[in-house]
Every structure is written in C-alpha cells, then in structure tokens.
Amino acid sequence: NIMTGRNLRIKSNLFMQALRVGPAAREEAQHREFVEHIIDFLEIQAHRKTPVGQLPYGLQKRVDLGRALAMDRLHVTLCHLGDYVGCPDVVVARACEAAAQVKTPAIDITFDRALSFAGRERNRPFVLRSSEGAPEVQALQREIGSAMAQSGLRKFVRPYTPHMTLLYDSNDISEQPIEPVTWTCTEFRLIHSM
C-alpha cells in the first residue's frame, strides 16, 4: 500500500514494469528499499501483509502517512496564493518575480508539535509546526512577503503559520508534542499544491 506512493516516481514503461526486466527491475528494487525505510520508521513491519481496512484506525493513519512520505513531496508552506483549479498566469509570473528577489542563507527548521488545523470536516490538515514559531523561517516568510508586495501580490501577504502538512483526515487532533524533527533548508520553491 505504501509502495503506491512511489507510482509518480517510476520512470520505466508499464510493459517493462509488468515483466520486471532490465531497468524496471532495478528501479523497483530502489523504490522498495526507500519504502522499507519508511515502514521501519513508522514501526509497522508486523502489519505488512494485513489489508489496511482491517487495521485499527491509528495504524491506518500510519499507512496514510507512509504513503505521503513515499510520494517524497513534503514541503513547508510559508504562504498561500489562493486555491485554483489552474493557477492564473499573472499570479505565477508575479510570484516568480517575487521569488527572484529573495536571497537567503540556509536555515535550520525544527518542528516539535503535531496537530490538526481547522478545515472542512472530512478534510482537516494534520501538520507539523514549531512551538517556538521558527524565527528563521518567519524571517524568510517576511522577506518573501515584502517581495510579494513589491511584485503586486500584497493581498496574499498575511500572517501564516509555517507548517508541513502530512495528510488530510476527518479527525481533529489536538496539539501534541513530538520528538523534534530538524533539517537544513537550502532553497525555497514555488509549488502548486493540490
């Protein structure tokens, strides 16, 4: 089930995948190794062969988290430019112009809290955030906001809690302390998060 999170990363064609030959076999082995690390991290090895629907709710959510981790698309959200089916070209152009103005050194990011943000009842974001407010991240956020305002995107500049969304769920999880997760951020990018 977690392996499905790697589907977007598979480069070989469907025919080679079905036969598991040549580059497809090597590629699958690499993806399986990546997924094995996630299974170990989430401590769900004992449930490997159990259909997800038969697992207790908490373990089902670990599998969901594993799928999100396997997609390898986690990111820290610093600002929000709106919800669009297709992002307007003018917003993208101005956001790119703003991003080009921002020069920042590498910063360490630490998250030590897990919680649900408010959202639609069946679509609440479960996120990581910092109890300290992540001062270096907030400084980067202010710099991005200033550049956005200069590029004509002032209406999008507002307080926004830096966070990393792990999954969406119907449950409302109150804030919980977690073992701190820290990494060094060396770049920022504009993404269309769907």
Side-chain angles (χ1 to χ4, degrees), residues 51-65 67:
V52 176
Q54 293 176 10
L55 293 172
Y57 183 78
L59 289 173
Q60 289 180 22
K61 289 297 132 188
R62 282 195 204 178
V63 173
D64 284 349
L65 177 56
R67 222 176 287 118

Side-chain angles (χ1 to χ4, degrees), residues 69-124:
L69 293 171
M71 289 177 68
D72 202 20
R73 292 173 48 156
L74 295 174
H75 59 275
V76 176
T77 304
L78 297 175
C79 61
H80 181 69
L81 298 177
D83 294 313
Y84 307 100
V85 173
C87 202
D89 291 341
V90 68
V91 172
V92 172
R94 289 180 179 173
C96 289
E97 178 184 316
Q101 297 175 42
V102 177
K103 306 293 183 230
T104 186
I107 58 173
D108 286 337
I109 299 175
T110 299
F111 290 131
D112 60 358
R113 295 286 187 266
L115 67 148
S116 294
F117 277 171
R120 293 181 298 273
E121 188 175 319
R122 299 192 53 80
N123 198 24
R124 290 189 173 104

Side-chain angles (χ1 to χ4, degrees), residues 3 22-36:
M3 189 70 176
R26 288 188 295 277
E27 184 179 28
E28 181 178 346
Q30 291 170 336
H31 289 298
R32 286 201 180 280
E33 182 180 349
F34 186 88
V35 166
E36 287 302 320

Side-chain angles (χ1 to χ4, degrees), residues 1-7 9 31 34-44 61-75 128 164-167 181 183:
N1 219 320
I2 292 175
M3 189 70 176
T4 61
R6 299 303 291 171
N7 285 349
R9 302 279 180 211
H31 289 298
F34 186 88
V35 166
E36 287 302 320
H37 291 294
I38 293 170
I39 290 169
D40 291 344
F41 172 72
L42 295 173
E43 298 178 349
I44 55 176
K61 289 297 132 188
R62 282 195 204 178
V63 173
D64 284 349
L65 177 56
R67 222 176 287 118
L69 293 171
M71 289 177 68
D72 202 20
R73 292 173 48 156
L74 295 174
H75 59 275
L128 299 181
M164 178 184 290
T165 302
L166 299 177
L167 54 89
V181 177
W183 72 97

Side-chain angles (χ1 to χ4, degrees), residues 1 8 14 23-24 30 49 57 79 82 102 111 118 124 134 160 171 176-177 186 192-193:
N1 219 320
L8 293 175
L14 188 59
Q30 291 170 336
K49 303 289 184 192
Y57 183 78
C79 61
V102 177
F111 290 131
R124 290 189 173 104
Y160 201 75
N171 286 320
Q176 305 288 320
T186 58
H192 184 191
S193 180

Side-chain angles (χ1 to χ4, degrees), residues 128-167:
L128 299 181
R129 73 166 193 86
S130 173
S131 62
E132 301 296 318
E136 297 87 2
V137 177
Q138 289 175 331
L140 174 58
Q141 193 177 38
R142 283 190 300 275
E143 187 176 350
I144 292 169
S146 175
M148 285 172 49
Q150 291 173 19
S151 296
L153 296 175
R154 182 175 305 281
K155 73 177 186 176
F156 297 113
V157 179
R158 61 185 180 272
Y160 201 75
T161 303
H163 67 278
M164 178 184 290
T165 302
L166 299 177
L167 54 89

